[in-house]
Amino acid sequence: MTFPSPTDPRITPIPAAATDLARVLAGHELTRSTCTRPIRLVGSRTLVHRATGEIVHDFHSAHQPNSMITVPCGNRRHTVCPSCSTLYKYDAYHLIAAGLRGGKNTTPTVAAHPRIFVTLTAPSFGPVHLGPAKNGNPRPCGPRRTGPDCHTWHPVGDPLIGTPLDPGTYDYTGHVLFNAYAGALWSRFTTETRRTLADLAGIERRDLRTVTTVAFAKVAEYQTRGVVHFHAVIRLDGANGPGSTAPARMTTALLTRSVRTAAKRTTVTTPSPGAMSFRTLRWGRQLDIRTIGSSDDDDSALSDAVVARYVAKYATKGTEASGIADLRPLPCRTCDGQGLQVKPTEPGKLQRPCPDCHGLGRSTTWAALGLSNHALTLVRTCWKLGGREELAGLRLRRWAHTFGFRGHFATKSRSYSTTFGALRDERAAYTAAQRDQALGLPSSADLVVVNDWHYAGRGPLPDTPTPAPPGQVSQEPAAASAGGGR
Ligand SMILES: [Zn+2]
Ligand SMILES: [Zn+2]
Ligand SMILES: [Zn+2]
């Protein structure tokens, strides 16, 4: 696998101006003015002086144009809301960068700790049509040693790219199960990495935590064929976390060896539903490990900024690479995908079909989804396997629209750096302070904020006045911002 170079045009640069303050300001102004699907709220916010009990400020949506206010949707995906997604990208950048060079309450000494950037891929489930190489150069699809061949030079955007050469023999079940168990596989991989690290360092496994802490931050990315893979930053700290240093023998080389071995050893075994035998799932053979930071003897080392940008970029993507960006969860809400009336009828009588989906369990027909054959087969495989009791825990029907993957797109171990929540809180506090200052109110420490807001629908308000220029006080309640994430 080739890794994009820092100058790769596919890595969208985060503007240099996206410093901390710019992130806060841009975030606020950006989403307030341009969120494509804001949440409408009605209600009030009252500010009460903590010591005197006096109401110092009262804000009612009833006095606003349209009698309501809007708050940004907070969605992380670019295809859903470009402006909220940009904000999320800034946050993801700062979260990852803080774990690499400090900042946001993380000590800058982490920059000297062993740090690597790892890409864990999925195995093959059958040959798929290949597009141009990562550097954009055209290449022929195949030839392959065995099986069917294509020989076409597929141009960028060819819908055939990522679809099976032979759909009849493609392992759709394995593909869907890999997505469904990818989170479990990742979790076992982190455990296996710690164990291997202890073994290689000659430490009892249970004593590893008295010597070093392994910190992780990962993002999931969909490949064109519709399978997830993971990009992860892995860092070695001392026993007391980011502020402490691991012993000298805990080197980048040792961490790299541990990850390589752990990736090979990690497996998850599935139950065996019906006539299907159990399967052992593992990572694909392609494993890319790069050192982060300057290293004189490693030309392939990546800089902090490149890694942070790369992760931030993938944190705002969903399934769009596989052509199913706008798919919503399929199960009928009334019967939760069961196809039967949820309320029990008279005892002894058969359950009647759900009146809303006519017993189908989903609110739409397969044809109405308008998917490619490959995407539709993945969705239908999820639906079929989702009906198996042994696989109930995977909730494959609920997650058919993401080809079975139900994990979080961005996750990290607690000690890695700050959190998305802390970054959002920081922004909300800044906005509130700005508002209070403009209204001539006491400092927020002296105020009790009473929020009473109710959902009133979605979408921009008609005839919304042009947003206030930066610096002018907002009419939004800062505390009523919608949390984003998934
Ligand atoms: Zn939005
Ligand atoms: Zn082809
Ligand atoms: Zn139903």
Side-chain angles (χ1 to χ4, degrees):
M1 167 173 297
T2 51
F3 195 92
S5 78
T7 52
D8 190 307
R10 286 173 300 135
I11 299 181
T12 318
I14 300 246
T19 57
D20 285 5
L21 184 59
R23 181 179 63 81
V24 169
L25 277 171
H28 176 64
E29 294 305 331
L30 186 87
T31 55
R32 192 167 63 84
S33 56
T34 57
C35 172
T36 52
R37 33 164 249 165
I39 297 158
R40 298 173 175 187
L41 297 173
V42 292
S44 64
R45 184 196 60 234
T46 311
L47 303 179
V48 182
H49 197 281
R50 197 181 292 276
T52 65
E54 180 200 356
I55 293 179
V56 292
H57 184 67
D58 209 6
F59 175 87
H60 277 270
S61 61
H63 305 144
Q64 295 300 301
N66 300 298
S67 301
M68 54 177 90
I69 59 138
T70 59
V71 293
C73 72
N75 197 290
R76 72 171 179 88
R77 282 173 50 201
H78 187 79
T79 49
V80 176
C81 180
S83 56
C84 290
S85 166
T86 302
L87 179 57
Y88 186 85
K89 187 148 109 182
Y90 284 7
D91 283 356
Y93 177 87
H94 282 273
L95 190 149
I96 294 298
L100 294 173
R101 58 184 179 213
K104 304 284 158 209
N105 298 324
T106 306
T107 162
T109 50
V110 290
H113 295 186
R115 299 160 310 155
I116 57 175
F117 188 60
V118 178
T119 299
L120 290 153
T121 59
S124 169
F125 303 102
V128 295
H129 291 278
L130 295 174
K134 289 233 165 175
N135 57 15
N137 288 343
R139 62 178 170 182
C141 183
R144 292 170 172 83
R145 255 172 264 144
T146 55
D149 256 332
C150 168
H151 298 293
T152 312
W153 296 60
H154 298 291
V156 176
D158 185 337
L160 266 182
I161 296 170
T163 66
L165 266 85
D166 181 7
T169 59
Y170 189 82
D171 180 11
Y172 279 100
T173 300
H175 180 139
V176 161
L177 288 176
F178 182 88
N179 280 348
Y181 280 103
L185 205 57
W186 165 260
S187 161
R188 290 207 186 167
F189 163 76
T190 60
T191 305
E192 201 60 56
T193 297
R194 291 187 182 97
R195 284 182 183 161
T196 314
L197 190 64
D199 294 351
L200 290 177
I203 304 167
E204 286 290 327
R205 288 177 176 182
R206 64 173 177 275
D207 294 339
L208 186 72
R209 66 180 57 189
T210 66
V211 174
T212 186
T213 315
V214 191
F216 300 88
K218 80 158 200 309
V219 283
E221 183 204 353
Y222 274 86
Q223 289 181 318
T224 327
R225 59 182 166 144
V227 75
V228 287
H229 69 195
F230 293 130
H231 302 285
V233 174
I234 307 179
R235 189 185 72 212
L236 280 188
D237 299 333
N240 297 318
S244 57
T245 310
R249 68 177 188 279
M250 292 293 173
T251 59
T252 307
L254 196 72
L255 177 61
T256 303
R257 272 177 66 201
S258 306
V259 163
R260 210 171 277 289
T261 307
K264 276 196 199 118
R265 280 188 191 161
T266 306
T267 59
V268 170
T269 303
T270 72
S272 51
M276 196 181 94
S277 60
F278 69 84
R279 279 159 189 263
T280 300
L281 304 171
R282 45 171 53 90
W283 302 114
R285 276 200 302 271
Q286 284 187 325
L287 172 68
D288 189 83
I289 305 179
R290 306 280 291 262
T291 305
I292 303 172
S294 53
S295 170
D296 292 340
D297 46 25
D298 186 357
D299 291 343
S300 66
L302 298 165
S303 77
D304 301 348
V306 167
V307 170
R309 264 182 233 148
Y310 195 71
V311 171
K313 178 186 161 190
Y314 284 110
T316 57
K317 285 194 162 190
T319 47
E320 52 267 33
S322 328
I324 56 162
D326 300 323
L327 217 52
R328 309 206 129 261
L330 302 180
C332 164
R333 285 189 181 195
T334 312
C335 63
D336 196 25
Q338 298 302 306
L340 296 167
Q341 262 182 337
V342 175
K343 277 183 201 152
T345 48
E346 292 165 45
K349 280 199 174 178
L350 279 176
Q351 284 256 37
R352 266 187 267 148
C354 166
D356 281 3
C357 62
H358 308 289
L360 210 57
R362 51 196 149 81
S363 36
T364 169
T365 63
W366 296 131
L369 293 176
L371 296 174
S372 71
N373 283 338
H374 179 58
L376 183 60
T377 311
L378 286 168
V379 168
R380 293 187 67 161
T381 306
C382 286
W383 194 265
K384 193 180 77 193
L385 293 175
R388 302 281 198 174
E389 213 171 295
E390 309 89 312
L391 300 175
L394 302 178
R395 303 181 67 211
L396 282 167
R397 290 193 170 178
R398 169 66 181 77
W399 297 101
H401 66 298
T402 54
F403 301 148
F405 178 63
R406 68 193 185 292
H408 290 269
F409 276 86
T411 59
K412 59 171 204 62
S413 56
R414 206 176 323 142
S415 64
Y416 177 78
S417 70
T418 185
T419 62
F420 280 106
L423 292 170
R424 279 195 288 267
D425 288 351
E426 179 194 44
R427 194 157 43 237
Y430 173 86
T431 310
Q434 216 193 19
R435 174 199 67 207
D436 296 349
Q437 198 186 8
L439 293 169
L441 296 173
S443 96
S444 55
D446 298 329
L447 296 172
V448 177
V449 183
V450 184
N451 275 307
D452 181 23
W453 295 102
H454 304 274
Y455 180 78
R458 279 249 184 216
L461 298 172
D463 308 321
T464 316
T466 6
Q472 198 167 321
V473 73
S474 149
Q475 290 299 298
E476 283 170 19
S481 66
R486 302 254 337 226

